Amino acid sequence: VQCVRQLTGNPNQEQIERLWLLLCLVVVAFPTGKTFFKYFVSFLQTNLTASGKSLQYVQWCMDNSNRAQAAPRKLPPSSVEIAAMKRLGTIVCRFFFLDGRTKAIDVHPCDTAQDSVSKLADKIGLQSLDGWALFESGPNRESHIQGHHYLYDIISSWEIEQNLATKTSQTKVSPAKNLTPKRPAGASDNRFIFKKRLFRNTREIPGDPVEVSLLFAQAVHSVVRCDDLPVSEKVALQLAGLQAQVALGEPQP
Protein backbone atom coordinates (compact mmCIF):
# COMPACT_ATOMS: atom_id res chain seq x y z
CA VAL A 1 0.00 0.00 0.00
CA GLN A 2 2.82 2.39 0.86
CA CYS A 3 4.49 1.73 -2.50
CA VAL A 4 1.23 2.46 -4.33
CA ARG A 5 0.75 5.70 -2.42
CA GLN A 6 4.29 6.89 -3.12
CA LEU A 7 4.01 6.01 -6.82
CA THR A 8 0.78 7.93 -7.29
CA GLY A 9 1.57 11.38 -8.67
CA ASN A 10 5.31 11.10 -7.97
CA PRO A 11 7.23 13.44 -10.35
CA ASN A 12 10.71 12.02 -9.58
CA GLN A 13 11.58 9.41 -12.24
CA GLU A 14 14.46 7.92 -10.25
CA GLN A 15 12.21 7.37 -7.23
CA ILE A 16 9.52 5.89 -9.47
CA GLU A 17 11.86 3.25 -10.87
CA ARG A 18 13.15 2.32 -7.41
CA LEU A 19 9.60 2.05 -6.07
CA TRP A 20 8.55 -0.15 -8.97
CA LEU A 21 11.57 -2.39 -8.33
CA LEU A 22 10.58 -2.64 -4.67
CA LEU A 23 6.99 -3.42 -5.67
CA CYS A 24 8.20 -6.21 -7.97
CA LEU A 25 10.08 -7.77 -5.06
CA VAL A 26 7.05 -7.43 -2.77
CA VAL A 27 4.61 -8.96 -5.28
CA VAL A 28 6.49 -12.27 -5.38
CA ALA A 29 7.22 -12.27 -1.64
CA PHE A 30 3.73 -11.69 -0.22
CA PRO A 31 0.44 -12.84 -1.73
CA THR A 32 -1.91 -9.92 -2.32
CA GLY A 33 -4.84 -10.00 0.06
CA LYS A 34 -8.39 -10.37 -1.27
CA THR A 35 -9.41 -6.90 -0.08
CA PHE A 36 -6.52 -5.16 -1.79
CA PHE A 37 -6.23 -7.35 -4.90
CA LYS A 38 -8.87 -5.65 -7.11
CA TYR A 39 -7.58 -2.19 -6.24
CA PHE A 40 -4.00 -3.26 -6.91
CA VAL A 41 -4.85 -4.73 -10.33
CA SER A 42 -6.75 -1.55 -11.20
CA PHE A 43 -3.71 0.50 -10.16
CA LEU A 44 -1.45 -1.60 -12.40
CA GLN A 45 -3.81 -1.26 -15.36
CA THR A 46 -3.81 2.53 -15.05
CA ASN A 47 0.00 2.48 -15.17
CA LEU A 48 0.25 0.46 -18.39
CA THR A 49 0.76 3.81 -20.13
CA ALA A 50 4.14 4.21 -18.40
CA SER A 51 7.31 4.22 -20.46
CA GLY A 52 10.78 2.73 -20.30
CA LYS A 53 11.80 0.49 -17.43
CA SER A 54 8.72 1.39 -15.41
CA LEU A 55 6.43 -0.22 -17.99
CA GLN A 56 8.42 -3.46 -17.79
CA TYR A 57 8.09 -3.42 -13.99
CA VAL A 58 4.32 -2.85 -14.29
CA GLN A 59 4.00 -5.79 -16.66
CA TRP A 60 6.00 -8.01 -14.29
CA CYS A 61 3.65 -7.10 -11.43
CA MET A 62 0.64 -7.83 -13.66
CA ASP A 63 2.01 -11.25 -14.61
CA ASN A 64 2.87 -12.28 -11.05
CA SER A 65 0.21 -10.63 -8.88
CA ASN A 66 -2.20 -13.55 -9.30
CA ARG A 67 0.25 -16.36 -8.53
CA ALA A 68 -0.96 -18.84 -5.94
CA GLN A 69 1.27 -18.84 -2.85
CA ALA A 70 0.59 -21.03 0.16
CA ALA A 71 2.48 -18.68 2.47
CA PRO A 72 4.60 -15.51 2.31
CA ARG A 73 8.37 -15.62 2.08
CA LYS A 74 10.25 -15.73 5.37
CA LEU A 75 13.44 -13.79 4.58
CA PRO A 76 14.30 -10.54 2.78
CA PRO A 77 15.52 -10.76 -0.83
CA SER A 78 19.19 -11.52 -1.36
CA SER A 79 21.49 -9.30 -3.39
CA VAL A 80 21.39 -11.96 -6.13
CA GLU A 81 17.58 -11.74 -6.29
CA ILE A 82 17.66 -7.94 -6.39
CA ALA A 83 20.20 -7.99 -9.24
CA ALA A 84 18.03 -10.49 -11.14
CA MET A 85 14.91 -8.42 -10.56
CA LYS A 86 16.59 -5.29 -11.91
CA ARG A 87 16.82 -7.04 -15.26
CA LEU A 88 13.40 -8.66 -14.69
CA GLY A 89 14.94 -12.11 -14.77
CA THR A 90 15.15 -15.10 -12.50
CA ILE A 91 18.04 -16.79 -10.72
CA VAL A 92 19.64 -19.68 -12.57
CA CYS A 93 20.45 -22.27 -9.90
CA ARG A 94 22.82 -25.17 -10.34
CA PHE A 95 21.79 -28.48 -8.80
CA PHE A 96 24.28 -31.22 -8.01
CA PHE A 97 23.78 -34.96 -8.40
CA LEU A 98 25.75 -37.58 -6.49
CA ASP A 99 27.15 -39.06 -9.72
CA GLY A 100 29.08 -35.82 -10.34
CA ARG A 101 26.68 -34.28 -12.84
CA THR A 102 25.05 -30.87 -12.49
CA LYS A 103 21.96 -29.31 -14.03
CA ALA A 104 21.05 -25.63 -14.17
CA ILE A 105 17.43 -24.46 -14.24
CA ASP A 106 15.65 -21.13 -13.93
CA VAL A 107 14.07 -20.75 -10.50
CA HIS A 108 11.19 -18.29 -10.14
CA PRO A 109 10.89 -16.30 -6.88
CA CYS A 110 7.67 -18.19 -6.08
CA ASP A 111 9.15 -21.64 -6.74
CA THR A 112 9.27 -24.01 -3.79
CA ALA A 113 11.65 -26.94 -3.35
CA GLN A 114 8.95 -29.29 -4.67
CA ASP A 115 8.53 -27.14 -7.79
CA SER A 116 12.26 -27.38 -8.46
CA VAL A 117 12.23 -31.16 -7.91
CA SER A 118 9.54 -31.44 -10.60
CA LYS A 119 11.55 -29.26 -12.99
CA LEU A 120 14.69 -31.33 -12.41
CA ALA A 121 12.82 -34.59 -12.92
CA ASP A 122 11.46 -33.33 -16.25
CA LYS A 123 14.93 -32.22 -17.34
CA ILE A 124 16.69 -35.53 -16.58
CA GLY A 125 13.77 -37.77 -17.55
CA LEU A 126 13.05 -39.14 -14.06
CA GLN A 127 9.66 -40.85 -14.19
CA SER A 128 8.73 -40.98 -10.50
CA LEU A 129 9.23 -38.28 -7.86
CA ASP A 130 8.38 -40.61 -4.98
CA GLY A 131 10.96 -40.12 -2.23
CA TRP A 132 13.17 -37.63 -4.11
CA ALA A 133 14.01 -34.31 -2.50
CA LEU A 134 16.41 -31.38 -2.39
CA PHE A 135 19.10 -30.89 0.22
CA GLU A 136 21.24 -27.87 1.03
CA SER A 137 24.89 -28.64 1.62
CA GLY A 138 27.38 -26.32 3.26
CA PRO A 139 30.86 -26.52 4.77
CA ASN A 140 29.58 -27.93 8.08
CA ARG A 141 26.13 -29.27 7.36
CA GLU A 142 23.74 -31.01 5.04
CA SER A 143 20.01 -30.73 5.63
CA HIS A 144 16.79 -31.59 3.87
CA ILE A 145 14.77 -28.73 2.34
CA GLN A 146 11.08 -29.21 2.99
CA GLY A 147 8.93 -29.19 -0.12
CA HIS A 148 7.01 -26.02 0.76
CA HIS A 149 10.11 -23.90 1.43
CA TYR A 150 11.02 -21.25 -1.13
CA LEU A 151 14.46 -21.67 -2.70
CA TYR A 152 14.97 -17.90 -2.74
CA ASP A 153 14.65 -17.96 1.07
CA ILE A 154 17.38 -20.63 1.21
CA ILE A 155 19.65 -18.47 -0.98
CA SER A 156 18.91 -15.48 1.25
CA SER A 157 19.80 -17.50 4.37
CA TRP A 158 23.16 -18.38 2.80
CA GLU A 159 23.91 -14.71 2.22
CA ILE A 160 22.87 -13.78 5.78
CA GLU A 161 25.16 -16.50 7.17
CA GLN A 162 28.00 -15.25 4.97
CA ASN A 163 27.56 -11.66 6.19
CA LEU A 164 27.50 -12.76 9.82
CA ALA A 165 30.61 -14.91 9.33
CA THR A 166 32.39 -12.00 7.64
CA LYS A 167 31.63 -9.67 10.54
CA THR A 168 32.83 -12.28 13.03
CA SER A 169 36.08 -12.84 11.13
CA GLN A 170 36.78 -9.10 11.14
CA THR A 171 36.78 -8.99 14.95
CA LYS A 172 40.16 -7.85 16.21
CA VAL A 173 42.42 -10.60 17.57
CA SER A 174 44.80 -9.99 20.45
CA PRO A 175 48.33 -9.33 19.10
CA ALA A 176 49.66 -11.75 21.74
CA LYS A 177 47.92 -14.58 19.92
CA ASN A 178 49.38 -15.73 16.66
CA LEU A 179 46.07 -16.53 15.01
CA THR A 180 45.19 -16.43 11.35
CA PRO A 181 41.48 -15.73 10.85
CA LYS A 182 39.73 -18.36 8.79
CA ARG A 183 38.11 -17.43 5.52
CA PRO A 184 34.36 -17.12 6.12
CA ALA A 185 32.16 -19.55 4.24
CA GLY A 186 30.48 -17.77 1.35
CA ALA A 187 27.30 -18.43 -0.57
CA SER A 188 29.42 -20.20 -3.20
CA ASP A 189 30.36 -22.81 -0.58
CA ASN A 190 26.71 -23.87 -0.37
CA ARG A 191 24.92 -25.96 -2.96
CA PHE A 192 21.66 -27.69 -3.76
CA ILE A 193 21.84 -31.49 -3.93
CA PHE A 194 19.22 -33.74 -5.51
CA LYS A 195 18.94 -37.20 -4.00
CA LYS A 196 16.58 -39.83 -2.62
CA ARG A 197 15.27 -39.20 0.90
CA LEU A 198 12.60 -41.85 1.46
CA PHE A 199 12.94 -45.49 0.35
CA ARG A 200 9.52 -47.13 0.37
CA ASN A 201 10.02 -50.35 -1.61
CA THR A 202 13.55 -51.43 -0.75
CA ARG A 203 13.21 -54.89 -2.32
CA GLU A 204 11.96 -53.72 -5.71
CA ILE A 205 14.35 -52.55 -8.43
CA PRO A 206 12.86 -49.56 -10.28
CA GLY A 207 12.11 -50.01 -13.96
CA ASP A 208 13.33 -46.48 -14.76
CA PRO A 209 17.02 -46.59 -15.84
CA VAL A 210 17.47 -42.94 -14.83
CA GLU A 211 16.35 -43.71 -11.28
CA VAL A 212 18.53 -46.84 -11.12
CA SER A 213 21.58 -44.79 -12.13
CA LEU A 214 20.85 -42.12 -9.50
CA LEU A 215 20.29 -44.72 -6.78
CA PHE A 216 23.55 -46.49 -7.63
CA ALA A 217 25.46 -43.19 -7.45
CA GLN A 218 23.85 -42.42 -4.09
CA ALA A 219 24.79 -45.86 -2.74
CA VAL A 220 28.43 -45.39 -3.77
CA HIS A 221 28.48 -41.89 -2.30
CA SER A 222 26.93 -42.89 1.04
CA VAL A 223 28.80 -46.18 1.56
CA VAL A 224 32.18 -45.73 -0.12
CA ARG A 225 32.97 -42.02 -0.19
CA CYS A 226 31.30 -40.77 3.00
CA ASP A 227 31.09 -43.97 5.03
CA ASP A 228 27.67 -42.86 6.27
CA LEU A 229 26.03 -46.30 6.15
CA PRO A 230 27.64 -49.33 7.80
CA VAL A 231 27.20 -52.44 5.65
CA SER A 232 28.04 -56.10 5.96
CA GLU A 233 30.93 -57.69 4.09
CA LYS A 234 28.48 -59.37 1.71
CA VAL A 235 26.78 -56.09 0.77
CA ALA A 236 30.17 -54.37 0.41
CA LEU A 237 31.35 -57.08 -2.02
CA GLN A 238 28.10 -56.79 -4.00
CA LEU A 239 28.53 -53.03 -4.28
CA ALA A 240 32.17 -53.44 -5.29
CA GLY A 241 31.11 -55.89 -7.99
CA LEU A 242 28.52 -53.44 -9.32
CA GLN A 243 31.14 -50.67 -9.36
CA ALA A 244 33.52 -52.87 -11.33
CA GLN A 245 30.75 -53.77 -13.76
CA VAL A 246 29.88 -50.10 -14.31
CA ALA A 247 33.53 -49.06 -14.68
CA LEU A 248 34.76 -51.98 -16.81
CA GLY A 249 31.61 -53.08 -18.58
CA GLU A 250 30.04 -56.50 -18.88
CA PRO A 251 32.50 -59.41 -18.40
CA GLN A 252 33.61 -61.10 -21.58
CA PRO A 253 32.83 -64.85 -21.87
Side-chain angles (χ1 to χ4, degrees):
V1 175
Q2 292 297 328
C3 289
V4 171
R5 287 177 175 175
Q6 293 185 42
L7 280 167
T8 304
N10 193 329
N12 189 312
Q13 187 60 36
E14 182 180 356
Q15 289 183 8
I16 289 175
E17 290 194 2
R18 289 186 177 184
L19 285 167
W20 276 116
L21 173 61
L22 177 59
L23 196 56
C24 288
L25 293 167
V26 169
V27 162
V28 293
F30 308 99
T32 307
K34 293 181 180 179
T35 306
F36 184 63
F37 179 74
K38 292 182 179 179
Y39 173 80
F40 183 60
V41 171
S42 176
F43 168 76
L44 294 176
Q45 290 173 343
T46 59
N47 281 274
L48 288 175
T49 56
S51 59
K53 194 73 173 179
S54 296
L55 178 59
Q56 298 177 28
Y57 287 145
V58 173
Q59 193 61 54
W60 169 272
C61 291
M62 286 285 292
D63 295 339
N64 293 276
S65 60
N66 202 25
R67 275 183 171 267
Q69 286 181 259
R73 297 256 301 274
K74 303 293 185 183
L75 296 175
S78 63
S79 60
V80 180
E81 180 181 355
I82 295 173
M85 188 62 73
K86 285 182 179 179
R87 54 181 172 80
L88 292 173
T90 55
I91 299 178
V92 178
C93 293
R94 187 168 295 278
F95 297 84
F96 291 79
F97 298 84
L98 297 182
D99 58 1
R101 295 181 301 153
T102 63
K103 292 291 182 183
I105 60 173
D106 288 321
V107 178
H108 189 274
C110 297
D111 281 352
T112 61
Q114 189 59 45
D115 295 329
S116 298
V117 167
S118 299
K119 289 183 179 180
L120 282 171
D122 290 339
K123 190 158 188 175
I124 64 176
L126 182 64
Q127 297 176 8
S128 174
L129 296 179
D130 188 27
W132 293 94
L134 285 181
F135 290 74
E136 58 168 322
S137 175
N140 302 313
R141 74 184 189 288
E142 181 176 296
S143 58
H144 166 242
I145 304 174
Q146 296 186 25
H148 63 275
H149 284 180
Y150 296 105
L151 289 196
Y152 276 40
D153 274 348
I154 304 298
I155 296 173
S156 179
S157 70
W158 293 347
E159 185 171 276
I160 292 172
E161 290 174 1
Q162 177 185 1
N163 293 336
L164 290 175
T166 301
K167 290 180 181 179
T168 303
S169 67
Q170 290 174 350
T171 304
K172 292 183 178 180
V173 181
S174 171
K177 299 178 180 179
N178 185 19
L179 297 176
T180 303
K182 296 181 180 180
R183 183 183 67 87
S188 59
D189 297 314
N190 296 282
R191 57 180 59 182
F192 292 116
I193 298 178
F194 181 82
K195 66 179 182 179
K196 190 89 167 180
R197 180 171 181 255
L198 296 175
F199 298 85
R200 301 182 186 275
N201 301 315
T202 56
R203 296 185 179 276
E204 295 181 10
I205 299 178
D208 180 11
V210 175
E211 185 168 8
V212 171
S213 176
L214 291 174
L215 289 174
F216 171 74
Q218 185 167 339
V220 173
H221 177 82
S222 299
V223 176
V224 180
R225 297 177 183 172
C226 298
D227 197 21
D228 290 335
L229 302 175
V231 296
S232 64
E233 182 179 356
K234 179 181 177 181
V235 174
L237 289 173
Q238 289 175 336
L239 183 58
L242 288 173
Q243 281 186 274
Q245 188 176 3
V246 170
L248 305 176
E250 294 290 339
Q252 298 297 327

